């Protein structure tokens, strides 16, 4: 399942990037920038984590990816892609919070330009924060003066400084993002419930009956999208977060076999984490009518092209 998952996620995220970039899904330019950024980050997670870091190294043990500096670089890239993907989810949630709860700040902050700056800033900071992972990998052996191997240094588990770095990294991603997303969603729900009650009462007094409110309907769809993305992110990360904390406390450095419960838990939790990189597209398809329409057009396009070629 873990081997097959990336090959499902790759086309899913590529399709999402193409469809969202066209800007025909009925979403604002601001939201579109965040969603495209998240889709690109998720695509990089799939490429660097399960494919380059696990599948290629396992099934092609003699490839150039086993060269220690290359392996160290992949370790940095996979970590950076994950950090960026997680924090873009936070920035998207904050953007929706500003839109709904901060009317005065909304016009200045919720713009395409601001969204692009935020996505770029998160990407740069995510890359800088993960640079130390480059120095956690050591060589196993040397072939023709070339260092080979992708194992973590023993000092990574014994030196307190490395322990402090990993603790800082895990707190920054995903502990803080999970807490921020939960807090922002709670504030958004409280604001929506209050605004809905006030608006419903105003419309009843004005019209004498309770008609469907187009503005509240649009807001409801936006909230469903937000809560779906936030909820899936938290659920798919919980297992990984708990196991990482447990592994450090229990000082687990190696696994006895592939049937070791710790190894199985580690693998399953990582699979769920990677799965979070392809759930957003499914959420778009379920919650956004225009996205589904664009997806249908994209699926029909190759067939229509073949039919035209046959007729010609």
């Amino acid at each position: 399942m873990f081997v097959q998952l990336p090959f499902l996620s790759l086309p899913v995220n590529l399709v999402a990037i193409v469809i969202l970039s066209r800007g025909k899904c009925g979403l604002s330019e601001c939201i579109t920038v965040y969603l495209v950024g998240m889709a690109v980050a998720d695509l990089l997670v799939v490429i660097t984590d399960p494919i380059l870091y696990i599948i290629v190294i396992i099934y092609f043990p003699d490839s150039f990816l086993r060269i220690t500096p290359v392996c160290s670089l992949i370790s940095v890239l996979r970590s950076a892609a994950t950090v960026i993907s997680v924090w873009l989810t936070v920035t998207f949630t904050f953007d929706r919070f500003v839109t709904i709860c901060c009317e005065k700040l909304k016009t200045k902050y919720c713009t395409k330009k601001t969204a692009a700056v935020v996505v770029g800033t998160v990407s740069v900071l995510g890359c800088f924060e993960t640079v130390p992972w480059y120095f956690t990998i050591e060589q196993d052996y040397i072939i023709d003066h070339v260092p080979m191997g992708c194992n973590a240094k023993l000092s990574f588990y014994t030196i307190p400084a490395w322990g402090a770095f990993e603790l800082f990294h895990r707190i920054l991603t995903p502990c803080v993002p999970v807490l921020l997303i939960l807090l922002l969603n709670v504030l958004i729900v409280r604001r929506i419930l209050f605004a809905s009650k006030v608006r419903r009462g105003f419309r009843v007094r004005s019209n004498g009956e309770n008609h469907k409110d187009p503005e509240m309907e649009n807001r409801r769809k936006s909230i469903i999208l937000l809560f779906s993305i936030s909820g899936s992110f938290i659920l798919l990360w919980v297992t990984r977060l708990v196991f990482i904390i447990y592994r450090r406390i229990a000082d687990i450095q190696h696994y006895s076999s592939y049937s070791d419960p710790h190894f199985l838990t580690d693998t399953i939790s990582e699979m769920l984490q990677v799965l979070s990189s392809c759930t957003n597209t499914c959420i778009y398809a379920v919650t956004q009518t225009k996205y589904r329409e664009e997806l249908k057009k994209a699926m029909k396009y190759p067939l229509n092209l073949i039919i035209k070629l046959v007729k010609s």
Side-chain angles (χ1 to χ4, degrees):
M1 177 63 181
F2 193 75
V3 175
Q4 298 171 347
L5 182 60
F7 300 102
L8 170 65
S9 302
L10 278 175
V12 162
N13 282 299
L14 284 172
V15 169
I17 293 170
V18 172
I19 292 178
L20 291 169
S21 298
R22 287 166 56 85
K24 296 182 178 181
C25 296
L27 301 170
S28 68
E29 291 183 338
C30 178
I31 294 179
T32 300
V33 170
Y34 283 113
L35 295 183
V36 170
M38 291 163 63
V40 172
D42 290 342
L43 179 65
L44 293 176
V45 170
V46 174
I47 293 174
T48 57
D49 198 331
I51 294 180
L52 294 182
Y53 195 77
I54 297 177
I55 295 176
V56 172
I57 289 178
I58 291 176
Y59 290 96
F60 303 95
D62 298 325
S63 70
F64 76 97
L65 295 179
R66 289 286 295 178
I67 299 175
T68 303
V70 176
C71 200
S72 299
L73 179 60
I74 293 175
S75 178
V76 173
L77 293 177
R78 71 189 281 259
S79 182
T82 301
V83 170
I84 294 169
S85 175
V86 169
W87 278 96
L88 285 182
T89 304
V90 176
T91 57
F92 171 72
T93 306
F94 181 74
D95 177 84
R96 295 299 86 201
F97 166 76
V98 172
T99 300
I100 295 170
C101 303
C102 308
E103 292 294 332
K104 294 182 179 179
L105 184 60
K106 174 182 175 181
T107 54
K108 294 182 179 180
Y109 183 83
C110 300
T111 64
K112 182 180 180 180
K113 182 179 179 180
T114 301
V117 170
V118 170
V119 170
T121 303
V122 169
S123 300
V124 172
L125 293 179
C127 292
F128 275 117
E129 190 271 329
T130 55
V131 167
W133 288 106
Y134 183 91
F135 305 100
T136 63
I137 305 297
E138 66 179 357
Q139 66 185 43
D140 289 335
Y141 50 89
I142 297 178
I143 298 178
D144 296 331
H145 305 290
V146 177
M148 305 290 290
C150 299
N151 289 332
K153 295 179 179 178
L154 181 61
S155 59
F156 178 73
Y157 299 101
T158 57
I159 296 179
W162 279 121
F165 165 71
E166 186 183 25
L167 179 63
F168 168 76
H169 178 76
R170 300 306 179 187
I171 290 176
L172 191 63
T173 307
C175 293
V176 173
V178 167
L179 293 176
L180 286 176
I181 289 173
L182 287 174
L183 175 62
L184 291 172
N185 282 334
V186 168
L187 294 175
I188 289 171
V189 168
R190 188 178 69 172
R191 173 69 176 180
I192 289 174
L193 292 177
F194 175 77
S196 298
K197 184 177 180 181
V198 172
R199 189 173 180 84
R200 191 180 301 114
F202 175 76
R203 287 178 63 84
V204 169
R205 287 194 300 271
S206 300
N207 303 328
E209 51 184 296
N210 191 8
H211 294 292
K212 184 176 287 188
D213 188 345
E215 182 177 335
M216 292 306 299
E217 188 67 17
N218 291 333
R219 181 172 291 186
R220 184 184 68 84
K221 292 179 180 179
S222 178
I223 294 308
I224 290 175
L225 175 62
L226 169 64
F227 287 176
S228 299
I229 292 176
S230 302
S232 67
F233 166 78
I234 292 172
L235 291 175
L236 293 172
W237 265 92
V238 163
T239 306
R240 187 64 179 166
L241 178 59
V242 172
F243 178 76
I244 288 172
I245 296 173
Y246 169 76
R247 183 175 62 186
R248 176 58 72 171
I249 294 175
D251 194 26
I252 300 172
Q253 301 179 13
H254 303 286
Y255 303 121
S256 58
S257 66
Y258 289 124
S259 60
D260 187 333
H262 293 135
F263 173 79
L264 295 176
T265 305
D266 189 5
T267 303
I268 292 172
S269 65
E270 188 166 4
M271 183 183 72
L272 292 174
Q273 175 193 321
V274 174
L275 181 62
S276 67
S277 66
C278 65
T279 54
N280 287 346
T281 305
C282 299
I283 292 171
Y284 306 151
V286 171
T287 61
Q288 303 296 308
T289 303
K290 291 188 178 180
Y291 182 90
R292 291 197 299 271
E293 293 174 356
E294 291 297 314
L295 182 60
K296 289 177 182 178
K297 291 179 182 178
M299 295 175 65
K300 291 178 181 179
Y301 179 78
L303 181 60
N304 293 334
L305 186 61
I306 292 173
I307 293 174
K308 289 181 179 179
L309 291 174
V310 171
K311 287 184 178 179
S312 61

